[in-house]
Amino acid sequence: MRGSDAFRSAWIVTTMVVACAGPHTAPNPPVWGDRRYHAFEIIEARDRALNSRDLPGVAAKYAPEAQVVDLETGEVILRGREAIQAEVGTVLAQCAEVRIEVVKRSYSERGRFVSDLERIHCSGTVPVEEWVKYEIADLKIVRVWKRQSPAKRCPAAPKGPPFVAVAC
């Protein structure tokens, strides 16, 4: 292969790799029968319900005794499906167009834990990205690790989606 042909081949391969890289999206669902598939379906159904403002649909994906734990302090900040539903209801009332976008997703312990990099969109605000970890058991979300809501961490913080990472 001549020098110019080698350069052209390298350029074409590099261009194809860059073009295919594109924006990152959540990976395709694991295959049926894999325990990760059920975790994927639970989190995806919760996200679809939230994006369509279906409060009962969001709450139904959580176990009755589910907990939301502050990632930094380990403090349980919400306890029980009803408390989570009330918090999500407050957010839906404050944000006319809330939407969760999964940027990256990974699984551990064969789907028992799901870690997402989520981009939270709320009308009139800049999207916020945050890592969130979910524990799944018996086809329900039983525990969530996130940063605490800015309204709870900082009294003067702007209103926005629940538990978003906003510096005080």
Side-chain angles (χ1 to χ4, degrees):
M1 188 180 290
R2 294 183 328 203
S4 63
D5 289 340
F7 175 78
R8 184 176 34 207
S9 294
W11 183 82
I12 290 171
V13 169
T14 302
T15 302
M16 290 173 59
V17 168
V18 169
C20 292
H24 296 284
T25 59
N28 291 330
V31 296
W32 175 255
D34 184 336
R35 276 184 55 191
R36 296 176 302 163
Y37 179 84
H38 298 295
F40 175 88
E41 284 297 315
I42 291 162
I43 301 297
E44 284 293 306
R46 192 281 319 252
D47 291 350
R48 281 191 305 272
L50 181 64
N51 290 344
S52 65
R53 304 180 64 80
D54 174 10
L55 187 55
V58 172
K61 298 305 168 194
Y62 289 89
E65 69 285 351
Q67 299 177 346
V68 177
V69 179
D70 185 278
L71 194 58
E72 295 171 343
T73 66
E75 172 190 0
V76 176
I77 51 179
L78 291 175
R79 188 179 309 272
R81 180 188 294 153
E82 285 142 9
I84 293 168
Q85 183 172 346
E87 178 75 12
V88 173
T90 300
V91 170
L92 292 177
Q94 293 173 353
C95 183
E97 295 178 25
V98 68
R99 182 172 59 88
I100 287 185
E101 171 189 0
V102 177
V103 179
K104 293 183 182 184
R105 174 169 286 155
S106 64
Y107 304 90
S108 59
E109 293 189 30
R110 296 185 56 213
R112 178 176 170 207
F113 295 100
V114 179
S115 296
D116 280 354
L117 175 57
E118 297 177 350
R119 184 174 296 135
I120 304 167
H121 301 265
C122 182
S123 53
T125 64
V126 176
V128 177
E129 287 187 359
E130 177 183 35
W131 281 102
V132 183
K133 185 174 183 177
Y134 301 93
E135 182 179 1
I136 309 295
D138 299 322
L139 301 178
K140 298 287 183 189
I141 301 167
V142 296
R143 196 164 290 110
V144 180
W145 290 269
K146 308 181 86 160
R147 288 194 63 196
Q148 198 175 61
S149 168
K152 291 185 169 99
R153 287 189 292 118
C154 329
K159 301 284 185 205
F163 319 114
V164 295
V166 174
C168 298

